[in-house]
């Protein structure tokens, strides 16, 4: 487009179908490749799949590491199974290959072969970009190694899918429409031992358990193109990135402007998947972007924006997704005629003159699918956490109570993807689901690496969320800054893709379901308000990281099951203010007497306000004083009938008190007719009540006129 090279977010050379990997390293002559092709002819039949990890120093992807593998789900019969790998690189000294949580060196589980010793070492890297540390348990077995004087190093190795070792990453089931592939890394060199590798490093992502011969990104595109009726792209158009540390820029377009033709009679189209389109010239400036479906392209203010529906969120490392066959997202329907792309640019070096054309491609069908998907945001999606993060290690935990899912859900919803998002000082993040007070599910980024995965998609299979389940989202920081929108500040948000979509009412809109931490005058009028607890952590053990821990038992043996965790944190499910527990027994629009400030509310408004007040709040007691008017009891007591509807001389003072007759009349409406307080107030009727003109007696004072 306009002479610029636009590529998708994962750069992988096309897989050579049917050649067993012979097309890799295309810049080499046949003679230079002969050691590699000779090994292929002898060994490639042992491996079911293969792929290529391009070197970071190769502009065209012609140099890198060729990877071959076979997954045997249960060769030993013990329910575990084995993985066999082969790695081929242009080197003579050493090669490292492994599994990375985020796609970089941090949080990686690697096997290193050194030709000088002929030894394969199982090692790991946690937080520091330093030489890998040898594992206490050596889980990789060397099958074969070939070193050729013409510059080839080819190593074959095996290990169990799950080694039950916290210094290893299990090779999980990574097959599924929304399950992220396994992230692989490699590095190599010509020295006798592992040393700094420079650009001799590579990364990529493959579904190791898949039986497809296509790379995951190519397979995603192929399936989307086969199953869709079309696609459209929303992206920047040569937008000049500002020479500012942080910039947010919006592109909003309607269906007509995007060239989407909606069939007559259709309420929009159904999006079934997406892939990012990233401009290579400006890739390093694109921090992340969020695409929303909106009513139109006018700026309706913050409350109107809450009614927008998030379609997708992208950060480096996200290669796109495709929904299950029965799930989609409605677009250009239900009153939302436009799509808005909000890109966050990060330009700390204040580079000038860079023009960007990044964005997203959406594939769609014309027919509706059974379920519409939504994105639930939890943690601090409104970025309202106050103050600066303390130096050292700290944690911020946001608890979303079970009353939230009880209020929003009447049936279970299915969680497809959980993406965990922090910024540069984040070191670990978890999103926990508790059911009946016990942990049911835990999504974790053990070693958070913002440089590799600005939004970390957890590798997991879908699961069901039930009414009454609670969330606890925890972010851990090292030498953190303050919370804010800039990438130089911090965030703590979990993006949860689920179906079917749910909404909540608030601020005059139907807004997407969220559970958010709020403060001040901004409150969500539901029970989806989060509690925040922050703490300083004395040492590394306090962040709860399991990856890298020494083994507590015998190598290769599953540990005994841990006792179930019981929720002993009362903040997880706070007790909320109960107003009219049996429901309103008057019309919700019934107006209440004005307060001292002259403002009058309805019973419906008071009932809604109570849903985000806790029982111990002072405001809860004030609100419950309106129950006799909004849900009067049917036991005959009724509301205290001060002056029985007669006029009140509101300015007349009550002797020896600070109150007036008007004050007592106002108090009475909140009192039960049979209460002691009502009886005391009724003593002032003779002083305060004024008979209507037609009821005034014609003669003298009629004291005890009826005997």
């Amino acid at each position: 487009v306009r002479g610029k090279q636009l590529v998708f977010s994962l750069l992988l050379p096309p897989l050579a179908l049917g050649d067993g990997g012979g097309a890799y390293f295309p810049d080499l002559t046949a003679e230079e490749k002969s050691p590699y092709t000779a090994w292929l002819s002898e060994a490639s039949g042992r491996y079911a799949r293969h792929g290529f990890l391009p070197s970071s120093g190769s502009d065209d992807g012609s140099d890198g590491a060729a990877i071959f593998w076979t997954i045997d789900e249960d060769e030993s019969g013990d329910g575990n199974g084995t993985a066999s790998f082969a790695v081929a690189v242009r080197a003579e000294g050493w090669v490292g290959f492994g599994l990375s949580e985020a796609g970089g060196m941090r949080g990686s589980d690697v096997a290193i072969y050194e030709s000088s010793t002929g030894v394969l070492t199982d090692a790991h890297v946690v937080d520091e970009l330093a030489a890998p540390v040898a594992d206490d348990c050596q889980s990789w077995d060397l099958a074969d190694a070939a070193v050729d004087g013409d510059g080839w190093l080819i190593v074959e190795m095996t290990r169990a899918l799950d080694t039950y070792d916290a210094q290893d990453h299990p090779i999980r089931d990574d097959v599924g429409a929304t399950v992220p592939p396994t992230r692989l890394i490699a590095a190599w060199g010509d020295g006798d031992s592992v040393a700094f590798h420079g650009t001799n490093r590579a990364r990529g992502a493959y579904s190791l358990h898949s039986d497809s011969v296509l790379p995951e990104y190519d397979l995603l595109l192929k399936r989307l193109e086969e199953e869709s009726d079309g696609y459209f792209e929303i992206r920047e158009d040569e937008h000049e990135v500002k020479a500012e540390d942080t910039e947010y820029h919006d592109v909003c377009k309607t269906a007509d402007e995007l060239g989407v033709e909606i069939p007559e009679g259709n309420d929009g189209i159904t999006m079934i998947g997406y892939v990012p389109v990233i401009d290579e010239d400006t890739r390093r400036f694109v921090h992340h972007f969020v695409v929303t479906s909106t009513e139109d392209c006018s700026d309706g203010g913050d409350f109107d924006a809450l009614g927008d529906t998030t379609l997708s969120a992208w950060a480096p490392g996200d290669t796109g997704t495709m929904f299950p066959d029965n799930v989609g997202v409605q677009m250009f329907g239900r009153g939302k005629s436009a799509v808005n792309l909000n890109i966050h640019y990060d330009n700390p070096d204040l580079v000038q003159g860079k023009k960007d054309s990044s964005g997203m491609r959406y594939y769609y069908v014309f027919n509706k699918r059974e379920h519409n998907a939504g994105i639930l945001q939890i943690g601090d999606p409104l970025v309202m956490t106050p103050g600066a993060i303390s130096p050292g290690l700290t944690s911020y935990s946001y608890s979303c109570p079970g009353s939230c899912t009880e209020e929003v859900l009447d049936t279970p919803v299915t969680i497809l993807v959980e993406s965990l998002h922090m910024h540069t000082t984040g070191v670990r993040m978890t999103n926990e689901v508790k059911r009946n007070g016990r942990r049911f599910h835990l999504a974790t980024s053990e070693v958070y690496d913002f440089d590799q995965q600005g939004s970390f998609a957890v590798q997991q299979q879908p699961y069901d969320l039930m009414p009454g389940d609670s969330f606890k989202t925890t972010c851990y920081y090292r030498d953190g800054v303050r919370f804010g929108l800039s990438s130089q500040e911090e965030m703590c948000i979990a993006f949860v893709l689920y179906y079917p979509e749910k909404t909540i009412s608030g601020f005059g809109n139907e807004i997407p379901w969220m559970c958010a931490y709020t403060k001040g005058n901004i409150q969500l009028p539901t029970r989806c308000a989060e509690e925040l607890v922050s703490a300083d952590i004395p040492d590394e053990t306090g962040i709860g990281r399991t990856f890298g821990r020494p083994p507590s038992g015998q190598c290769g043996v599953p540990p005994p099951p841990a006792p179930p965790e019981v929720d002993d944190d009362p903040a997880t499910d706070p007790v909320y203010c109960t107003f009219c527990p049996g429901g309103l027994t008057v019309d919700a629009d019934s107006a209440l007497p004005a307060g001292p400030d002259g403002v009058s509310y309805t019973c419906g408004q008071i009932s809604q306000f109570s849903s985000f007040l806790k029982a111990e709040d002072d405001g809860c007691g004030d609100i419950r004083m309106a129950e006799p008017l909004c849900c009067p009891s049917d036991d005959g007591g009724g509301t205290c009938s001060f002056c029985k509807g007669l006029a009140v001389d509101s300015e007349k003072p009550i002797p020896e008190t600070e109150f007036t007759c008007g004050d007592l009349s106002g108090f009475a409406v909140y009192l039960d007719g049979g209460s002691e307080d009502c009886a005391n107030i009724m003593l002032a009727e003779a002083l305060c009540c004024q008979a209507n003109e037609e009821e005034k007696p014609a003669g003298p004072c009629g004291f005890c006129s009826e005997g």
Side-chain angles (χ1 to χ4, degrees):
V1 177
R2 292 171 178 79
K4 302 195 72 175
Q5 179 188 15
L6 295 176
V7 300
F8 294 118
S9 65
L10 183 63
L11 177 62
L12 289 175
L15 193 71
L17 300 178
D19 67 1
Y24 298 147
F25 310 101
D27 289 352
L28 300 181
T29 65
E31 183 178 354
E32 290 171 326
K33 287 177 61 173
S34 60
Y36 170 67
T37 53
W39 174 84
L40 277 180
S41 63
E42 182 271 328
S44 62
R46 294 195 289 268
Y47 300 99
R49 295 193 66 204
H50 55 90
F52 194 78
L53 310 182
S55 164
S56 63
S58 174
D59 292 333
D60 58 4
S62 61
D63 188 29
I67 311 296
F68 301 78
W69 69 91
T70 290
I71 302 295
D72 191 319
E73 299 288 352
D74 190 11
E75 183 181 70
S76 62
D78 61 1
N80 189 353
T82 59
S84 301
F85 290 93
V87 183
V89 295
R90 292 279 288 164
E92 297 181 1
W94 61 272
V95 61
F97 165 77
L99 287 69
S100 171
E101 185 182 49
M105 191 170 178
R106 288 188 176 93
S108 62
D109 167 24
V110 295
I112 301 170
Y113 178 79
E114 295 176 336
S115 61
S116 60
T117 62
V119 174
L120 181 71
T121 302
D122 187 3
H124 66 280
V125 179
V126 184
D127 239 350
E128 301 299 325
L129 294 180
V133 178
D135 289 5
D136 293 276
C137 294
Q138 292 295 302
S139 305
W140 285 95
D141 293 321
L142 179 65
D144 198 6
V147 183
D148 184 84
D150 291 331
W152 285 96
L153 181 54
I154 303 173
V155 180
E156 299 179 72
M157 63 196 94
T158 63
R159 56 155 275 191
L161 295 179
D162 191 346
T163 64
Y164 310 109
D165 181 359
Q167 295 172 340
D168 292 336
H169 288 310
I171 301 175
R172 297 187 175 94
D173 180 6
D174 53 4
V175 176
T178 58
V179 180
T182 300
R183 301 171 181 101
L184 305 176
I185 59 171
W188 55 93
D190 292 326
D192 290 339
S193 59
V194 175
F196 179 64
H197 43 65
T199 59
N200 289 338
R201 66 182 189 275
R203 57 175 285 190
Y206 286 91
S207 293
L208 298 179
H209 288 257
S210 171
D211 56 5
S212 171
V213 296
L214 287 176
E216 275 50 53
Y217 193 69
D218 292 349
L219 179 61
L220 174 62
L221 286 179
K222 181 175 182 292
R223 291 190 59 206
L224 285 170
E225 289 170 357
E226 288 176 349
E227 298 188 23
S228 65
D229 293 326
Y231 70 83
F232 69 89
E233 294 180 349
I234 179 168
R235 60 172 183 245
E236 298 280 12
D237 184 9
E238 299 283 313
H239 170 69
E240 184 167 348
V241 180
K242 292 182 179 179
E244 299 175 357
D245 175 71
T246 297
E247 175 193 2
Y248 283 85
H249 187 256
D250 289 284
V251 176
C252 185
K253 293 187 177 182
T254 64
D256 289 341
E257 292 171 327
L258 292 167
V260 178
E261 297 183 2
I262 301 174
E264 185 176 351
N266 269 28
D267 185 20
I269 58 176
T270 301
M271 185 260 289
I272 63 170
Y274 54 84
V275 293
V277 182
I278 306 301
D279 189 331
E280 276 300 290
D281 289 345
T282 47
R283 172 185 290 272
R284 70 186 182 98
F285 302 105
V286 182
H287 173 270
H288 76 271
F289 50 76
V290 177
V291 185
T292 55
S293 177
T294 186
E295 184 176 345
D296 53 45
C297 289
S298 63
D299 184 3
D302 292 340
F303 285 171
D304 281 353
L306 285 173
D308 295 348
T309 300
T310 300
L311 298 174
S312 61
W314 176 89
D318 179 6
T319 59
T321 196
M322 182 175 182
F323 299 137
D325 293 343
N326 63 337
V327 179
V329 174
Q330 189 173 5
M331 301 179 70
F332 308 116
R334 298 188 300 179
K336 293 181 171 64
S337 64
V339 172
N340 187 79
L341 166 71
N342 176 261
I343 295 191
H344 173 187
Y345 292 104
D346 186 29
N347 188 6
D349 297 328
L350 309 182
V351 177
Q352 297 181 348
K354 292 294 183 178
K355 295 184 178 181
D356 178 59
S357 294
S358 298
M360 193 74 85
R361 173 184 288 187
Y362 290 99
Y363 289 84
Y364 60 86
V365 294
F366 293 123
N367 295 328
K368 289 185 178 180
R369 289 189 165 180
E370 180 182 359
H371 298 294
N372 207 54
I375 293 183
L376 165 65
Q377 298 183 47
I378 51 181
D380 187 20
L382 302 179
V383 195
M384 298 189 72
T385 303
I389 302 173
S390 302
L393 292 169
T394 54
S395 68
Y396 283 73
S397 292
Y398 303 83
S399 295
C400 179
S403 55
C404 175
T405 54
E406 283 181 343
E407 178 176 323
V408 176
L409 305 181
D410 50 6
T411 58
V413 296
T414 300
I415 305 297
L416 295 174
V417 179
E418 290 175 77
S419 295
L420 310 180
H421 181 69
M422 299 186 291
H423 285 172
T424 57
T425 66
V427 294
R428 183 173 184 260
M429 184 171 176
T430 64
N431 193 44
E432 179 182 17
V433 178
K434 287 190 175 182
R435 181 170 296 167
N436 299 322
R438 295 183 174 183
R439 178 186 292 170
F440 165 74
H441 170 81
L442 182 66
T444 305
S445 173
E446 282 288 285
V447 185
Y448 190 85
D449 190 347
F450 177 76
D451 292 335
Q452 301 293 337
Q453 292 281 332
S455 184
F456 177 78
V458 180
Q459 191 180 58
Q460 62 187 26
Q461 294 293 325
Y463 67 93
D464 285 345
L465 185 73
M466 307 289 290
D469 289 352
S470 62
F471 287 101
K472 189 173 185 179
T473 307
T474 304
C475 292
Y476 300 87
Y477 304 96
R478 177 179 283 110
D479 296 326
V481 288
R482 66 183 302 110
F483 288 89
L485 299 177
S486 165
S487 61
Q488 309 309 311
E489 297 172 308
E490 269 305 338
M491 289 185 173
C492 182
I493 308 171
F495 297 93
V496 181
L497 177 67
Y498 72 99
Y499 74 89
E501 179 188 25
K502 300 293 181 180
T503 60
I504 57 178
S505 298
F507 312 112
N509 288 307
E510 284 292 314
I511 65 176
W513 180 26
M514 70 168 61
C515 194
Y517 171 74
T518 58
K519 61 184 178 69
N521 294 326
I522 299 179
Q523 297 285 345
L524 291 177
T526 71
R527 296 188 176 181
C528 295
E530 294 194 316
E531 286 285 299
L532 168 61
V533 177
S534 61
D536 294 333
I537 300 174
D539 54 44
E540 293 284 339
T541 59
I543 67 175
R545 180 180 285 151
T546 57
F547 180 72
R549 287 183 184 175
S552 57
Q554 184 178 349
C555 292
V557 176
E565 289 194 5
V566 179
D567 184 8
D568 57 0
D569 180 6
T572 301
D573 270 307
V575 179
Y576 282 89
C577 183
T578 54
F579 178 78
C580 292
L584 300 180
T585 56
V586 301
D587 192 272
D589 293 329
S590 298
L592 297 170
D597 56 1
V599 178
S600 175
Y601 296 98
T602 67
C603 287
Q605 289 173 321
I606 293 293
S607 178
Q608 190 178 53
F609 294 157
S610 71
S611 68
F612 58 84
L613 289 176
K614 296 182 179 61
E616 67 270 19
D617 292 345
D618 292 339
C620 180
D622 295 338
I623 278 179
R624 293 192 65 182
M625 292 178 67
E627 285 187 329
L629 292 179
C630 296
C631 48
S633 62
D634 55 4
D635 58 4
T639 304
C640 185
S641 54
F642 183 71
C643 287
K644 301 176 183 177
L646 301 180
V648 177
D649 185 356
S650 61
E651 300 298 326
K652 182 177 290 188
I654 305 298
E656 300 182 7
T657 75
E658 60 183 10
F659 302 113
T660 67
C661 289
D663 293 331
L664 297 189
S665 179
F667 295 155
V669 298
Y670 298 113
L671 298 176
D672 188 89
S675 68
E676 182 178 351
D677 289 334
C678 178
N680 290 333
I681 282 181
M682 295 289 285
L683 294 175
E685 278 192 314
L687 178 68
C688 298
C689 304
Q690 298 177 343
N692 295 327
E693 289 295 330
E694 62 274 14
E695 295 176 353
K696 286 184 179 180
C701 176
F703 179 72
C704 294
S705 57
E706 297 181 7

